[in-house]
Amino acid sequence: MTNRKNRLRVLQVSLLVLGLLILYFTYSKKDLDQKNVIISKQTQDKIEKKLLDKIEDEDVFYNISYIGLDASGNRYILKAKEATNDKKENDKISLRIVEATFYMKDDTVLKVFSDEGIYNNKTLDMIFEKNVKAFYEESELFAEKAEFSNSKSFLTISKKVRLNDKKGSLFADKLLFDVKKQNLNIIAFENNKVNANINLK
């Protein structure tokens, strides 16, 4: 009787261990398979090909600076944390984390910052996009886009334009800053009104 009980216990323990091993290997293999197959081989090949094409078509530079003179004779320094040169359009350079400083002839300084930008190394035109900030004397300007046309000596600021000055604040569709004459033109909102708070003191 005792022999039979011992055999039954051994058999039960063996079956239990066997069952646990089957469960362990079944579910651990399934987890490994799921972890390994996140992206199909075909998708991986497509991504790899796109990355290789992009690497072949572009040159990437870090911490770059361009120094020059604009058409009005003002000196400028354009800096970026990252610059990408497209080999197909090698005159246009895409920029990330951009800072531009314009030294005017009257010794004033205009500084422009943005998250992204484009510099045309033939025309010397510049585009600043996303989170644009500009500082000129005691004025602060915020927008989503700013374009500097070298040939026209104009800085066009657009998209959610806000200007803060000691004299007050202003919201408009577009601001045109004439670099030669150093004056500012305001283009109104669609309802032909400019929102402004002016301090008359």
Side-chain angles (χ1 to χ4, degrees), residues 90-141:
N90 58 5
D91 55 333
K92 287 185 182 175
I93 298 160
S94 297
L95 308 170
R96 282 187 67 250
I97 316 301
V98 188
E99 176 187 336
T101 308
F102 296 87
Y103 299 94
M104 307 299 180
K105 288 180 180 177
D106 65 352
D107 293 328
T108 58
V109 176
L110 168 67
K111 282 188 169 270
V112 183
F113 300 89
S114 68
D115 292 346
E116 295 177 5
I118 296 171
Y119 178 61
N120 188 315
N121 59 14
K122 285 187 181 172
T123 63
L124 308 181
D125 292 344
M126 301 173 204
I127 296 173
F128 304 91
E129 290 182 301
K130 293 184 183 172
N131 198 26
V132 178
K133 297 173 192 162
F135 303 93
Y136 181 71
E137 295 193 307
E138 294 179 15
S139 299
E140 298 176 328
L141 185 136

Side-chain angles (χ1 to χ4, degrees), residues 14 38 43 68 74 76 84 110-111 120 134-135 158 186 191-192:
S14 299
I38 293 173
T43 308
N74 299 305
Y76 69 84
T84 308
L110 168 67
K111 282 188 169 270
N120 188 315
F135 303 93
S158 59
I186 303 162
N191 62 4
N192 296 324

Side-chain angles (χ1 to χ4, degrees), residues 16 32 61 70 72 83 109 117 123 144 155 175:
L16 180 65
L32 284 173
F61 304 95
D70 66 18
S72 304
V109 176
T123 63
E144 286 302 306
L155 181 63
L175 296 179

Side-chain angles (χ1 to χ4, degrees), residues 55-102:
I55 289 166
E56 288 172 8
D57 290 345
E58 295 177 346
D59 291 323
V60 181
F61 304 95
Y62 299 95
N63 299 318
I64 59 99
S65 290
Y66 294 99
I67 299 170
L69 291 172
D70 66 18
S72 304
N74 299 305
R75 190 169 60 92
Y76 69 84
I77 299 172
L78 178 66
K79 295 179 183 178
K81 293 280 183 193
E82 185 180 302
T84 308
N85 182 18
D86 189 336
K87 289 178 182 175
K88 292 173 186 172
E89 284 187 80
N90 58 5
D91 55 333
K92 287 185 182 175
I93 298 160
S94 297
L95 308 170
R96 282 187 67 250
I97 316 301
V98 188
E99 176 187 336
T101 308
F102 296 87

